[in-house]
Amino acid sequence: MDQSTVSPGGRRADAILITGAGGEVGHGMIRGLYERGARNIVAIDLRELDAEIRAMCMQTVVGDICDAMLLGRLLAMYEVREIYHLAALLSTRAEFTPETAHDVNVGGTLGLLRLAAEQARSHGVPVKFVFPSSIAAFGMPDLETKARHPKVRWDHFVMPTTMYGCNKLACEHLGRYYMQHYRQLAKDRVPDLVDFRCVRYPGLISADTVPSGGTSDYGPEMLHSAAKGEPYACFVREATRIPFLTMPDAVSATLALATADRDQLRCPIYNLTAFSPTAAEFAEIVRQHFPNADITFDPDEQRQAIVDSWPADVDDSPAREDFGFAPKHDLETAFAEYLVPRIKARYAAAE
Ligand code: SER
């Protein structure tokens, strides 16, 4: 980090902070913010970002969001106005190191919420804190209940079975607490420090990146393997159904939520979705576009149980009503207009 962003008079530069900047969503979010005119992005990730993304940022920082010294140094340099907190260990990876996942997913979020509150107190304007939660926050008790409740509201069946899901649910509550009740008994309490905004993503699918460590990954993995001409053994059964959204739709929805008038937002948490194919339907559309695709089904019962605990579909009507969520892609257009043309170009260029 350098000090070039501090003016001689000592005023710190305004910044939009993005954590997990090198991840799947981070890439899309940085590009989306940059295309909308943001020139003050400060991006944090554990690894060096690629050159294309670095060029869109005012500053990039290689570091750990759990490092309090690092956050302190950022506070010394910037007036943080908005935070997009994307860093997390996903659901499959988190099951191998649950306590570490908790430290990163909840501890990291708590540190950033505190930073947001301190920043708001110091510059006198609420800090917007945009947080993607996940379908993993849900927990359906069994397949029969899942079948009987095909479209689940944001506040129903929130009994997650994974550490990642428990972490996301905890962070949803922490965000709500910081927004509405933070230090509620303190005599010198300042209200409205953190403007917390939260969406629950379903499985995401991108033409540009393959996720790592998630449990909805079978969809993207199936597609990217077919595009690369590699065989794929799907780790869930054919009949498995969960909702999905394309990455461009996820980024647009998140930015629409971030820029909506606060008064319009009546829900603390917003479900998002676009289409809910079974794994067999997913394989079928992949085969339509890649006739040589070699897809088989070889369920892993433990990962299957995680996906079975997620709803088949979610009720996203509050997002549609409150901030105009309207995904561009359904299953057919996602493949025909976004995924397949971009993936073919991408792997052709890599040859
Ligand atoms: N894609 C995530 C996962 O599978 C769910 O939000 O962990």
Side-chain angles (χ1 to χ4, degrees):
M1 282 196 289
D2 61 44
Q3 301 292 318
S4 58
T5 41
V6 182
S7 71
R11 191 187 172 283
R12 299 167 300 167
D14 285 356
I16 300 176
L17 192 62
I18 302 194
T19 72
E24 272 216 294
V25 181
H27 274 223
M29 204 68 76
I30 289 176
R31 192 167 286 121
L33 282 163
Y34 186 82
E35 283 168 1
R36 286 162 179 77
R39 295 293 178 269
N40 56 344
I41 297 171
V42 174
I44 309 184
D45 200 275
L46 283 174
R47 283 173 295 270
E48 183 85 67
L49 300 179
D50 57 47
E52 192 196 343
I53 294 294
R54 278 207 311 273
M56 296 177 201
C57 299
M58 174 168 74
Q59 166 108 48
T60 58
V61 180
V62 176
D64 186 340
I65 52 155
C66 298
D67 178 351
M69 292 291 282
L70 174 75
L71 297 187
R73 285 205 300 279
L74 285 174
L75 279 193
M77 292 169 63
Y78 299 106
E79 286 199 353
V80 176
R81 303 285 171 158
E82 287 177 40
I83 298 175
Y84 291 78
H85 176 35
L86 313 174
L89 262 72
L90 292 184
S91 57
T92 291
R93 186 157 299 156
E95 288 310 310
F96 293 104
T97 53
E99 292 78 14
T100 306
H102 184 274
D103 289 348
V104 174
N105 294 353
V106 180
T109 305
L110 189 65
L112 285 156
L113 283 165
R114 184 174 176 182
L115 178 146
E118 282 172 13
Q119 283 284 285
R121 198 195 289 267
S122 121
H123 56 57
V125 181
V127 170
K128 216 177 261 182
F129 195 109
V130 182
F131 181 71
S133 182
S134 162
I135 188 168
F138 291 108
M140 312 296 292
D142 49 55
L143 281 174
E144 198 202 334
T145 312
K146 176 164 168 163
R148 268 194 289 114
H149 297 273
K151 225 173 169 50
V152 177
R153 279 171 48 136
W154 68 275
D155 52 350
H156 286 181
F157 297 109
V158 273
M159 282 286 172
T161 64
T162 60
M163 180 50 113
Y164 173 74
C166 292
N167 295 164
K168 286 293 189 187
L169 194 60
C171 291
E172 292 177 1
H173 286 295
L174 287 174
R176 188 178 50 77
Y177 166 77
Y178 268 77
M179 181 160 77
Q180 291 170 349
H181 309 292
Y182 181 53
R183 300 180 75 241
Q184 58 194 293
L185 299 182
K187 295 266 183 309
D188 61 347
R189 175 169 192 264
V190 181
D192 302 325
L193 293 172
V194 179
D195 178 0
F196 183 74
R197 301 177 179 216
C198 180
V199 280
R200 273 192 205 142
Y201 290 150
L204 296 182
I205 179 155
S206 161
D208 302 325
T209 44
V210 192
S212 63
T215 319
S216 59
D217 295 5
Y218 63 88
E221 284 173 358
M222 213 184 266
L223 171 64
H224 283 262
S225 300
K228 287 190 278 187
E230 294 171 358
Y232 184 68
C234 179
F235 60 80
V236 296
R237 288 187 295 273
E238 279 104 317
T240 307
R241 192 189 292 281
I242 58 164
F244 282 91
L245 187 65
T246 63
M247 189 61 74
D249 279 335
V251 168
S252 309
T254 310
L255 294 175
L257 172 69
T259 49
D261 280 350
R262 180 74 246 175
D263 302 347
Q264 304 281 109
L265 303 176
R266 295 167 303 166
C267 255
I269 313 294
Y270 288 95
N271 284 340
L272 301 177
T273 184
F275 42 88
S276 262
T278 62
E281 287 163 351
F282 216 112
E284 187 46 42
I285 195 158
V286 170
R287 287 193 192 102
Q288 277 168 26
H289 290 277
F290 297 94
N292 295 329
D294 177 4
I295 303 167
T296 50
F297 287 83
D298 182 15
D300 169 325
E301 287 311 318
Q302 287 157 326
R303 292 181 93 188
Q304 177 76 53
I306 292 177
V307 184
D308 286 346
S309 77
W310 296 347
D313 198 358
V314 290
D315 175 8
D316 63 2
S317 54
R320 292 175 188 262
E321 286 159 21
D322 289 5
F323 58 94
F325 171 58
K328 274 203 336 232
H329 300 127
D330 59 19
L331 181 63
E332 277 70 34
T333 57
F335 274 76
E337 292 171 15
Y338 163 60
L339 294 167
V340 173
R342 261 176 94 139
I343 280 187
K344 282 190 172 162
R346 175 185 149 86
Y347 290 118
E351 272 170 12

